[in-house]
Amino acid sequence: MGNRGTVTEASGFNPEEDAQKIYNAMKGAGNKSHYFKMPIQELLDCLKSELTGNFEMVVVGLMMPAPVYDAYELKNAIKGAGTEEACLIDILASRSKAEIKEIIATYKKEHGKSLEDDVCGDTSGMFQRVLVSLLTAGRDESTKVDEAQAVQDAKDIYEAGEAHWGTDEVKFLTVLCVRNRNHLLRVFQEYQKISGRDIEDSIKREMSGCLEDAFLAIVKCMKNKPAFFAERLYKSMKGLGTTDSVLIRIMVARAEIDMLDIKAEFLKMYGKTLHSFIKGDASGDYRKILLELCGGEK
């Protein structure tokens, strides 16, 4: 848990009282003591049998600890026909080294498989290499900035992309997936000086598809992670239809970590509150639970 969440520890937490509330809500299936002693998987199965649709997806997600939820989302993104690349990018580009390591261990425990093997079996090319690099959790997490190296990194990226025909994506990968945040922020400044462009603009010009999305997500998370999630939420709701999988994943995953900061960035970026967007976009119990996760109107 972070300290900028909208969902915080319950004061005077009483698990027996909460078990009674769940029992009362679930049409009296079983008895209270049964819920109180029930293994989490059984309780999840009970909730799934009682609930449906997007509301069910939110409730089930909230019942899982963070690494279990991330592993669950990644598994769902990979299994079956087609891959939800956006989920792989959202999670792997935004989590810390420690979080990635915990997700990998949880994935193995919950699903009996290697997350890296599953990702490799479902992706290809340079996009796969970026995801594997993020999964190795090799990023330096110190705060040290090597000025000379930052200048060299900016030159390397410029020469790998804007400076010549074709793009050497490996250079981008080497810098963006390994260097620490402070160092990268310095690289981005230097890149602007050398090229006259923001690094994000160059990535959009030089790349496409999932690879472009992955590198942009890494850059945006390094610059301002709450703003990255605010933009993802906005795009999940604007226009015709809602990308509920993205909306649910971010609201559930960030409610206990940095939702207050995401809300502030959303208002700054779009001139409207996240609360008002959700209110106009969802309905019924699904809307109610998302608004609870969002916190107040401001």
Side-chain angles (χ1 to χ4, degrees):
M1 282 176 65
N3 58 3
R4 301 289 300 154
T6 47
V7 175
T8 55
E9 288 182 21
S11 58
F13 171 56
N14 185 323
E16 285 190 337
E17 274 181 22
D18 286 352
Q20 180 70 53
K21 286 174 187 170
I22 293 171
Y23 163 68
N24 292 342
M26 291 214 288
K27 303 172 187 161
N31 56 57
K32 186 189 79 171
S33 63
H34 180 56
Y35 286 125
F36 186 55
K37 294 166 187 167
M38 186 183 279
I40 185 66
Q41 190 53 54
E42 277 185 48
L43 183 50
L44 282 173
D45 290 341
C46 281
L47 288 165
K48 286 176 183 175
S49 71
E50 291 282 327
L51 309 173
T52 57
N54 291 324
F55 181 66
E56 177 197 333
M57 286 170 70
V58 177
V59 172
V60 168
L62 290 170
M63 294 297 292
M64 300 178 188
V68 176
Y69 183 62
D70 282 345
Y72 170 81
E73 284 288 288
L74 290 167
K75 183 66 178 172
N76 286 341
I78 292 166
K79 75 178 184 185
T83 306
E84 195 203 337
E85 289 89 353
C87 174
L88 303 183
I89 295 167
D90 280 355
I91 293 175
L92 298 181
S94 65
R95 303 309 192 249
S96 68
K97 256 168 96 160
E99 286 168 336
I100 295 274
K101 285 176 179 173
E102 208 171 346
I103 291 165
I104 290 167
T106 304
Y107 191 95
K108 181 82 174 169
K109 184 181 165 195
E110 295 282 321
H111 306 295
K113 292 182 175 179
S114 152
L115 176 54
E116 186 177 326
D117 288 350
D118 278 1
V119 166
C120 287
D122 231 49
T123 56
S124 60
M126 187 52 65
F127 177 56
Q128 180 193 87
R129 287 181 67 177
V130 172
L131 295 179
V132 169
S133 182
L134 293 171
L135 278 169
T136 57
R139 186 180 301 285
D140 165 26
E141 288 195 336
S142 72
T143 54
K144 181 173 167 280
V145 177
D146 181 330
E147 280 294 329
Q149 187 63 58
V151 172
Q152 188 59 51
D153 285 344
K155 281 181 184 166
D156 286 347
I157 292 176
Y158 177 64
E159 283 162 13
E162 292 278 1
H164 75 92
W165 183 255
T167 307
D168 179 1
E169 294 103 342
V170 175
K171 285 272 169 57
F172 281 81
L173 185 153
T174 304
V175 175
L176 295 179
C177 294
V178 177
R179 306 288 191 251
N180 73 55
R181 179 174 181 266
N182 284 2
H183 182 92
L184 282 175
L185 293 178
R186 186 71 192 86
V187 171
F188 301 157
Q189 286 175 347
E190 201 58 39
Y191 185 88
Q192 177 90 39
K193 273 194 221 167
I194 295 167
S195 68
R197 289 184 200 285
D198 187 277
I199 183 78
E200 290 179 40
D201 293 334
S202 288
I203 289 169
K204 287 173 190 169
R205 282 163 57 92
E206 294 293 317
M207 297 171 202
S208 61
C210 296
L211 183 62
E212 176 191 340
D213 293 342
F215 280 137
L216 282 175
I218 293 166
V219 168
K220 287 173 180 179
C221 284
M222 287 296 144
K223 286 181 176 179
N224 184 335
K225 200 180 288 186
F228 167 72
F229 286 121
E231 183 187 6
R232 296 289 291 133
L233 286 168
Y234 175 75
K235 286 183 175 175
S236 78
M237 291 183 279
K238 78 173 179 118
L240 290 171
T242 304
T243 313
D244 291 296
S245 59
V246 175
L247 176 57
I248 292 167
R249 180 167 58 247
I250 295 172
M251 294 305 293
V252 170
R254 309 311 293 185
E256 295 181 45
I257 299 171
D258 55 0
M259 187 57 69
L260 293 172
D261 298 324
I262 292 168
K263 284 170 66 177
E265 290 295 337
F266 193 99
L267 181 59
K268 196 194 301 180
M269 291 161 75
Y270 304 111
K272 291 183 177 178
T273 64
L274 176 58
H275 192 281
S276 69
F277 249 71
I278 293 169
K279 201 169 182 181
D281 217 65
S283 59
D285 288 334
Y286 176 47
R287 173 166 67 184
K288 282 182 193 169
I289 199 165
L290 288 180
L291 291 176
E292 283 293 328
L293 295 178
C294 178
E297 290 190 31
K298 292 181 182 174

